[in-house]
Amino acid sequence: MAQSPDRSLNDRLLRSLLRRRKQALTEADVTVTDKAEVHRAVSAAALGNMMEWFDFGVYAYLASTLGKVFFPSSSPGAQVVSTFATFAAAFFVRPLGGLVFGPLGDRIGRKRVLAITMIMMAISTFAVGFLPGFSAIGFAAPILLLICRLVQGFSTGGEYAGATTYIAEYAPDKRRGFLGSWLDFGTFVGYAFGSGIVTLLTAVLGSQGMVDWGWRVPFFVAGPLGLVGLYMRLRLEETPAFLREQEADAAEAQESGYGAAEAARADDELASGARQSGKGRLKEIFTRHWEAVLICMGLVLLYNVTNYMVTSYLPTFMTETLHQGDVTAQLLILGTMVVVALTITTVGRSSDRWGRRPMFMAGSIAMVVLAIPAILLIRQGGILMPAFGCLILGLLLVCFAGTSASTLPALFPTRIRYGALSIAFNVSVSLFGGTTPLIASAIVESTGDKMVPAYYLMIAGLIGLISTFFLHETAGKPLRGSGPMVETEEQARSLVARSRTEASRQARDVWMRVRHPGHQHMNSEGGGSDEE
């Protein structure tokens, strides 16, 4: 007997809905992480970030000293602006580094690129300690300093995005916030280490001793740190997510016509294909993922304006603008960094429990409300009131620092994650974050308004609030383009069993909606439930 048209239509609709339903996970879809490998990955990535921020801490605390060494003919205010201009120059080449290292990391792997960036950062920072001053070679001295900063900035263009990508792709879904926060823990430990060395040398040698030769010592420390970081990174394995992506590319390439005789050349062919598709990937980033790029840039702006305001500009603001003692100002910022380092992993763990959006949202609102009171407290004399002001800014900073490393990589799928994150992150840092000390010092110098840092932070808070509004919650969920990641085999089996139950329930619900629409309506009206 022929089926009625309605019955035939329902059958086609049923088959279509069942094909499109969420498929149940298999054990092959779930990655069980190795605890030792995860710890090694986190340690190596954090150490590289520590190296990067050791240099920033040293440079920020030596801003006035370096101004006297490399720009002696200028006024004190112009010396500071010139030093921060050299500091900011490194950020203008960061997007170029991101364009080079990001896609390269998506093509040849995360660990190789992270080893390259570590070598370049260590060498460029170490070299600064050997530079002659202006009194020895004239204008060539600041030019050489600029070259070292440009190399450092270029390598940094692939560092943070690569490190966050690496940790995110190794971390179990439910602990990504906690494990990712260790990356920025390395940031502030490195900053505190660098600034602590400068503070100690300043207290022992005095201002003139630092100008004469003491400024070189912190840069010499970068050499051994770089060797340790390089050793740790060379021992890393590639991330599970990247390996799965490579396997998927290889399988797709074979289906597209690879023969057995070409199997030995598969890696070379895949690399060549990736090079040829580089422009295509860039086009994909800005056409299919433009919203994620904008959200990423907004969150990076919020984090890095706060970061560089506190870590790079505030020490100089307190000494050159507010005329506080060098050691006092340095100790206040150093204490703030210690507080941030001690609380950052707690914030990361909290983001796993409560979500990334609430952490960013609370921090953004608090920034708008508390920026002016914090700067007013810092402007007060003595130690107690400025210490409270610095503490407020430190606690605001840790809201973003403890959450960023787990939030930003989750915005992009695996195949373009490193490249997209490198580009979005570095463009935002270059335009807004790294220029913060330069712009703030120049505006304060030209207007005499000592509340400029507060206004700057409030604008960043508003932009961060808008970006957070459009951010999708990713806490506890797999990365885009990747399967679930868990810590134990038991968790994997439980996740697969739960997925099968959900898939069966969804299939049954589809069947009931198509075959018995009235039954579904009756259940919803009568308060009944189809739950098993």
Side-chain angles (χ1 to χ4, degrees), residues 452-473:
V452 167
Y455 307 146
Y456 212 97
L457 290 171
M458 291 175 69
I459 294 172
L462 287 173
I463 295 173
L465 188 61
I466 295 171
S467 302
T468 305
F469 179 79
F470 293 99
L471 178 67
H472 296 290
E473 186 56 70

Side-chain angles (χ1 to χ4, degrees), residues 16 30 93 108-109 277 289 309 332 359 369 384 413 426 490 497 510:
S16 175
V30 182
V93 298
I108 68 172
S277 63
H289 303 280
M309 184 68 75
L332 286 174
M359 304 302 296
V369 174
L384 186 60
N426 288 297
E490 182 180 354
V510 169

Side-chain angles (χ1 to χ4, degrees), residues 357-434:
R357 292 185 78 246
M359 304 302 296
F360 272 109
M361 191 73 71
S364 301
I365 294 172
M367 178 67 75
V368 176
V369 174
L370 298 177
I372 289 179
I375 298 300
L376 287 174
L377 286 171
I378 291 172
R379 290 180 57 183
Q380 303 302 308
I383 296 179
L384 186 60
M385 292 297 103
F388 277 120
C390 290
L391 179 62
I392 291 173
L393 293 181
L395 293 177
L396 292 173
L397 174 59
V398 80
C399 290
F400 318 130
T403 317
S404 290
S406 55
T407 304
L408 302 181
L411 291 168
F412 306 102
T414 302
R415 65 183 301 272
I416 62 165
R417 180 172 296 126
Y418 199 158
L421 183 53
S422 291
I423 294 169
F425 182 89
N426 288 297
V427 168
S428 185
V429 171
S430 300
L431 293 178
F432 310 110

Side-chain angles (χ1 to χ4, degrees), residues 260-377:
E262 297 173 294
R265 297 180 303 174
D267 291 339
D268 292 338
E269 294 289 342
L270 285 172
S272 175
R275 282 193 293 270
Q276 293 171 357
S277 63
K279 292 183 179 179
R281 292 194 181 195
L282 287 176
K283 182 179 179 181
E284 179 184 350
I285 290 171
F286 291 107
T287 55
R288 295 181 56 189
H289 303 280
W290 61 269
E291 184 178 355
V293 169
L294 291 178
I295 293 172
C296 181
M297 291 181 65
L299 297 179
V300 171
L301 182 151
L302 172 65
Y303 174 22
N304 282 273
V305 165
T306 309
N307 195 5
Y308 289 108
M309 184 68 75
V310 175
T311 59
S312 298
Y313 179 62
L314 207 53
T316 304
F317 175 72
M318 295 172 72
T319 55
E320 300 297 324
T321 304
L322 303 181
H323 306 293
Q324 298 180 2
D326 286 351
V327 175
T328 299
Q330 290 171 354
L331 286 175
L332 286 174
I333 303 301
L334 180 58
T336 303
M337 294 302 99
V338 171
V339 171
V340 172
L342 292 176
T343 56
I344 192 168
T345 55
T346 301
V347 172
R349 192 189 299 273
S350 299
S351 75
D352 284 328
R353 181 178 180 182
W354 297 325
R356 323 293 189 215
R357 292 185 78 246
M359 304 302 296
F360 272 109
M361 191 73 71
S364 301
I365 294 172
M367 178 67 75
V368 176
V369 174
L370 298 177
I372 289 179
I375 298 300
L376 287 174
L377 286 171

